[in-house]
Amino acid sequence: KRTFQAKWDDKMITFGGEGQEEYINGWGKLIFAKRETMLTYLDNGTLKLEVHLRTYKKAEPDSFVPSNSFCDNMLKGFNNEEMSDVTFEVGGEVESAANRRKRAKTTPTTFHAGHLILKLNAPSLADMCKPGDEAAVPINGVEPEVFKMLLYFCYGGKVSEDELEANAKAIIEAADRFGIVNLKLQAEAVLTKQTEVTVDNMLDNLLYATSKNLALFLEKIMDFVAENGSMLLGKVSFGDVPSNLISDILTAVAQGKKSAGGVAGDDLQIMRVGEMRKRLHDKGLCIDGDRETMIALLRENSESSPSASRVKLEP
């Protein structure tokens, strides 16, 4: 252990020595050393210090404060027959083979739910039944496992990333059908991320995205079209493409120019879907719709709009 001495109040104090307690105050030890002395401790021009800190404040034990138990309590009611007032029978009729009308009967799966919870989180599904209905509501065209995910989500549960990846389109179909917007958009985000758009699948993906109002997925496809227009010429027929999609293609081109610093104008027209949805969500507006619908909603509810100001002031 190395030590050295310094002069303090006409006394010599040994750094690292004993008996220095009288030179301690609230700011630590009042001990100084001469510069030439400190230079002898340099290591390749660097003065290395090892500092040990101690607190004299008595540590208080952490008190346990539980979080809001609402979500946990809601999940206790998931598919709980005693806490439910409506019943669904899912399945029981599936396609026997692709492109065939013949259907095969299977044993349906029974699910129980609370009508109020469905009214708040799956309004279209709630409209199919009434509280206290004795007869179960038949649900066809949806796999029981997918319906279970939807119901679980309505009760505040989280659908895992793996489940979304494995059932993205099935979840989008069912969530769109029953009005579970947030789950639909979660599945859309996963579908957008995992789908590689190519010349061969571009048209099918475009028509699918349009039919389900998947604005984020459609934006990715339009980006591909704008970037690979020369590859698509003569290889893809746009005869079946709705005419309103021309606007989306031009938007994708304009977005590309803006990123390169070459366009100016109405930001809403070239705003990315994610940003538009965020703004709509912040205003408490519906975020499920195509580009034109979202742009119209944002303009109608802009901060400069007198009607929007009145809405904000209402209790």
Side-chain angles (χ1 to χ4, degrees), residues 275-293:
E275 177 61 25
M276 280 197 288
R277 283 179 173 173
K278 183 179 183 303
R279 293 193 183 190
L280 287 168
H281 181 268
D282 291 343
K283 293 175 180 289
L285 301 171
C286 179
I287 60 176
D288 184 24
D290 57 24
R291 285 191 61 88
E292 295 304 319
T293 301

Side-chain angles (χ1 to χ4, degrees), residues 161 164-170 172 186-209 214 216-225 227-228:
E161 192 80 7
L164 288 170
E165 289 178 355
N167 303 277
K169 284 193 173 182
I172 289 172
Q186 285 185 19
E188 180 200 9
V190 171
L191 178 67
T192 302
K193 181 180 178 181
Q194 71 180 11
T195 301
E196 181 183 357
V197 182
T198 65
V199 174
D200 295 330
N201 68 21
M202 183 278 298
L203 188 57
D204 289 339
N205 283 323
L206 185 149
L207 295 175
Y208 173 74
L214 304 179
L216 184 67
F217 190 32
L218 182 61
E219 182 177 66
K220 178 175 181 176
I221 299 167
M222 290 296 119
D223 287 343
F224 176 83
V225 172
E227 295 170 3
N228 301 276

Side-chain angles (χ1 to χ4, degrees), residues 93-162:
E93 191 177 69
V94 296
E95 291 283 357
S96 60
N99 301 321
R100 294 185 184 179
R101 294 182 178 179
K102 185 178 179 181
R103 295 176 180 267
K105 290 287 184 179
T106 60
T107 303
T109 303
T110 302
F111 292 94
H112 305 279
H115 189 268
L116 177 60
I117 294 172
L118 297 181
K119 188 175 181 179
L120 294 171
N121 300 294
S124 297
L125 184 59
D127 289 343
M128 299 172 63
C129 54
K130 294 181 179 179
D133 280 349
E134 295 185 2
V137 178
I139 302 293
N140 295 316
V142 181
E143 291 293 328
E145 280 302 310
V146 173
F147 190 84
K148 182 179 179 180
M149 293 178 202
L150 268 64
L151 205 58
Y152 185 69
F153 186 85
C154 290
Y155 274 78
K158 181 179 179 181
V159 180
S160 70
E161 192 80 7
D162 291 340

